[in-house]
Amino acid sequence: MSINTTSRIGVLTSGGDAQGMNASVRAVVRTALDRGIEVYAIYEGYQGMVDGGGRIRKMTWDSVGGILYRGGTVIGTARCEAFRTHEGRRQAAHNLLELEIDSLVIVGGDGSLTGANIFRQEWPGLLSELVEKGLISQDLADRHPYLRIAGLVGSIDNDFVGTDMTIGADSALHRITEAVDAISSTAASHQRAFVVKVMGRNCGYLALMGALATGGDWVLIPESPPDTDNWQKMMCDRMIAARKAGRRDTIVIIAEGARDRHGNYIGSSDVARVLEEAMGEEVRVTVLGHVQRGGSPSAFDRNLGTLLGHAAVEELLSSSPESEPQVLGLHGNHIIRSPLMKCVVETQAVGEAIEAHEYEKALKLRGSSTNEAFKTLKTLLRALPHPPQPDQKRFRLAIVHAGAPAPGMNAAVRAAVRIGLDKGHILLGVKNGFPGLINGEIEEMDWMRVNGWASQGGCELGTSRKMPSGRDFYGIARAIEEFDIQGMLIIGGWTGYEAAFEILKMRENYAAFNIPIVLLPATINNNLPGSDLSIGADTALNNIVEAVDKIKDSAVALQRCFVVEVMGRNCGYLALMSGMASGAERVYMNEEGVTLKDLEEDVAKLNYGFSHGKRLGLMIRSENANEVYNTAFMCALFEEEGKDLFDVRQSILGHLQQGGRPSPFDRIQATRLASRCIDYLIDQVAKNSSDSAFIGLQGSDIKFNNLDEFDHMVDLKMQRPKEQWWMELRPIAKFLAQPGPGNMLENQD
Ligand code: ATP
């Protein structure tokens, strides 16, 4: 039995607030309205449900306009003791029934979802009690015999089993990396040590990923306490050795729930004191606290909240009353549903394992990628690499960039160099891409050469967009021989992939080309095969979304339409995802093309909207959407056809999209991918194999594709993959930003 027509949906946010909750509320409201279902926001979490009255408010399409960019939750959240009691829940049921609400989307942590499940189980009993007491009619109770619930996890801690990412965790990581980057520069100026405390009672995700993204020197997390009682000495020795090796700053990142192996909490001031004594210098403590919950949500959290909110309504519409309630989550790039209580129980099992000092179990429950990240981090934060084994064969591995700079390239080089050195090999940094390789601009990289590179934007080694041709290949072969390069890591975009594919085809002509080559996708365009996301795209997306927020703010009091042009060449990824994250009503991209008829329809919609009170229009256009109907043309057309109704401004975002410090996601993925690439090269060289591959994030996994698959997987002419997973998100992005049903007046996103 699917949801009936008298059903109404309620949405609430509960527990700690998290950035991106607003996006989910917006998506729940608009998806429900689009399906013809009335929807109510329950303000202040369960407290509002128990209080009823004005705290449960009917939502319209416009009541959730303009909230995507806002931090926290506009419908409020609270901890509610009354809801923990049977009487409180009966009162809540009464309040919901008065408005005929019998379906709920709950955005909260494991506590909120547990409460929702108890409420659902008790629902029939609560209704009988309300009928018995004469508070509701039997008829009303009969119309709503069941409560349906769908859960979304809003939590900055990323502590929930059942989703790769919780809503808010990415934004919190943004705040942490911004803070640690800022602290690092002052720490380095004064050669000072800092202890930075981040949130995470039972979960070290923020501390671990924060350290991985910023190049922190030591990390303390609840799931994996130091495995010795003498950890203080171990830590201090490492810090002192790092200073001797040339590091000017010392950053220790500690999760609030960090403890030693006996379960005693480790305080940030304890760590500071120990460091002070050992290093003989003043150590500063920074407790990041609520800063981590603050600020505008990242592009990722806006889109995650949107997609999950949409999926939650679909879940309510398709589930039967008997079916087990589900929590909606993310696995790779796909929205998944998992049994809600199973996820809650598994989530709580981690906390229980920590309490029982079963740390191995706790870390295992966190999953393989956390474990792998921890292992990588332990190598990266060494003061110096392990020395090579006396009888070890040391391979000579070159790192070269190709294509435009992408934020995160430096983090990838840092990880590759350090992991390779730690395994005893020789890492060669090639400057300025293939032209640099041909000119022999090659340096042997040492451990400290890449110090601080995790957080740096741009491309320290230098890159080139020049595609090698003709005699260049001879030059590349000669350089490989001259520098005795046994394996090559290419970190870059389309140019790198095409060049590597050419090298592969020329192996018969040039013996030097019979070495393993591995490609790491790094381009803001996200147009490479074998990887759902390339390094740099997330930073660019955030750059665009931040810029669009500002552009929108500039137009508050005017009747104005913006046409914002974004990069991406023939790939519409940046346009679509930034459009979804900023609430753009129209996205133009090459994959769909632009016709005169489309533009006519858009003009008609704009005219209609602006003549009925619309104040702001936002269109995002991918740079190669259409050769003839370029941004200037579109603006001129809209301006001319809009007459006095509205004016039009174009904004070509340009290179600001490629610039700035990389986002935490780009730093972390660059590090993970580079670490795997170096392992791959070492493995191939050891086997005397010249197998070559491109690496990528595929779903939640990291996978390699053989380089000879390149031309089968791409549209060579358009320079993009044949299959692009994100294309299926177009309908959702589109309908959510349209004027709502029965409301053709405005789109105030
Ligand atoms: P966070 O991870 O941010 O702490 P949370 O959802 O786990 O989020 P809690 O404080 O545990 O936060 O729960 C929020 C609210 O959910 C509580 O104040 C209470 O109203 C309700 N709740 C939690 N657990 C239960 C329960 N076992 N029974 C009924 N209601 C509950």
Side-chain angles (χ1 to χ4, degrees), residues 14-16 46 78-80 83-84 89 108-112 114-115 118 155 201:
S14 173
Y46 289 121
R79 315 247 180 213
C80 171
F83 195 73
R84 291 180 185 273
R89 293 193 288 273
D110 58 328
S112 307
T114 307
I118 294 171
S155 162
R201 278 165 305 187

